[in-house]
Amino acid sequence: FNNITSNRVHNTKEAGIVLQDSSDWNSVSNNSAYNGNDGFRVLNSYNNTLINNSATNYDNRGFYIDSSSGNNLTSNAAYGNSYGFYYNYGGWNRMVNCTAQGSSSYGLYLGTTTNNIFENNSIYDGADKGIFIQSSDGNYFSNTTLYNNSLDIYVYVDSYSPASYYMQNTTILNPFGTFENYTVLSINDTIDPGEYYFIKWTTNSSELPGGRVSFDNKFVNISIDTTIASANTSIDEIIWSWTDGEVTVGGYDESKF
């Protein structure tokens, strides 16, 4: 058991702080790392705690969790990296109250990793994908906030087995990060091999069908690319949420939803 606390690490050739090959039960807290390849690496290691660390301006990953399980990341921040948080293989990790801002690739990437828990995280200002879930099964998200990403959520399975995920109360704000025209979604889906879709905040670009109105100008774009995905791609369950105040102010009749 080791404590790595209150260090400033910068301009490293590879990674700022590394836990590798059964480096277990360590506490890494209040460290700042910037400039290099990876900020924090946890490789083939278990039951570590990373709290209140920051990784800035890394060419690759701010936080890299590979082939590792039982690790807890709380109140960490990744700014201006290629990837904010990158989970590859392994599983049963937990990430809470973390932030990924300004990632040039993905804010949060899951690649063939299972049964992780993500709670109260914010991912925004991403040039590409906010959350990218690739062939990863059994992952749970709650109270995620997304905005101003090129694509907020991107999901696909390129393996031979289906993969499921569950998102509860995912808030997609407008590009300014405010609650005007925002949307709250909960998703429960099992993705079959070859299926691909993305979800992103949008505005309306066409005339609504006759007799229909938008609820408080809330729009999201849910699409597939049929050149990549199966044409019969579907989402098993998706739930839109709203508040009683929005119903009252807008004069809506919920019985007509």
Side-chain angles (χ1 to χ4, degrees), residues 78-108:
Y79 301 117
N81 309 291
S82 181
Y83 303 91
F85 296 85
Y86 193 106
Y87 288 80
N88 197 46
Y89 300 108
W92 302 100
N93 301 290
R94 190 179 183 196
M95 176 173 143
V96 181
N97 293 329
C98 292
T99 298
Q101 187 268 335
S103 303
S104 60
S105 292
Y106 318 140
L108 171 61

Side-chain angles (χ1 to χ4, degrees), residues 6-166:
S6 301
N7 298 285
R8 196 170 100 176
V9 183
H10 60 93
N11 298 328
T12 53
K13 182 178 180 181
E14 285 298 324
I17 294 176
V18 181
L19 305 177
Q20 185 169 350
D21 295 337
S22 299
S23 240
D24 307 331
W25 298 102
N26 299 289
S27 175
V28 181
S29 61
N30 299 309
N31 301 285
S32 62
Y34 56 95
N35 296 341
N37 188 22
D38 290 327
F40 297 80
R41 287 180 183 168
V42 180
L43 310 178
N44 193 31
S45 297
Y46 306 89
N47 301 310
N48 296 288
T49 301
L50 283 73
I51 301 176
N52 198 33
N53 303 287
S54 64
T56 305
N57 198 33
Y58 278 93
D59 295 336
N60 210 344
R61 296 153 293 218
F63 294 82
Y64 179 29
I65 315 299
D66 191 353
S67 304
S68 300
S69 299
N71 298 286
N72 288 287
L73 278 69
T74 302
S75 300
N76 299 287
Y79 301 117
N81 309 291
S82 181
Y83 303 91
F85 296 85
Y86 193 106
Y87 288 80
N88 197 46
Y89 300 108
W92 302 100
N93 301 290
R94 190 179 183 196
M95 176 173 143
V96 181
N97 293 329
C98 292
T99 298
Q101 187 268 335
S103 303
S104 60
S105 292
Y106 318 140
L108 171 61
Y109 172 75
L110 279 62
T112 320
T113 181
T114 60
N115 299 305
N116 300 289
I117 295 174
F118 302 92
E119 299 174 298
N120 303 317
N121 299 296
S122 298
I123 301 167
Y124 57 97
D125 294 343
D128 195 342
K129 300 170 181 67
I131 298 175
F132 183 6
I133 305 171
Q134 179 179 358
S135 301
S136 294
D137 186 51
N139 294 289
Y140 172 79
F141 303 79
S142 67
N143 301 319
T144 305
T145 299
L146 301 164
Y147 65 91
N148 200 35
N149 302 292
S150 180
L151 301 176
D152 289 302
I153 302 167
Y154 180 108
V155 181
Y156 87 98
V157 171
D158 58 356
S159 61
Y160 295 105
S161 301
S164 63
Y165 75 98
Y166 178 59

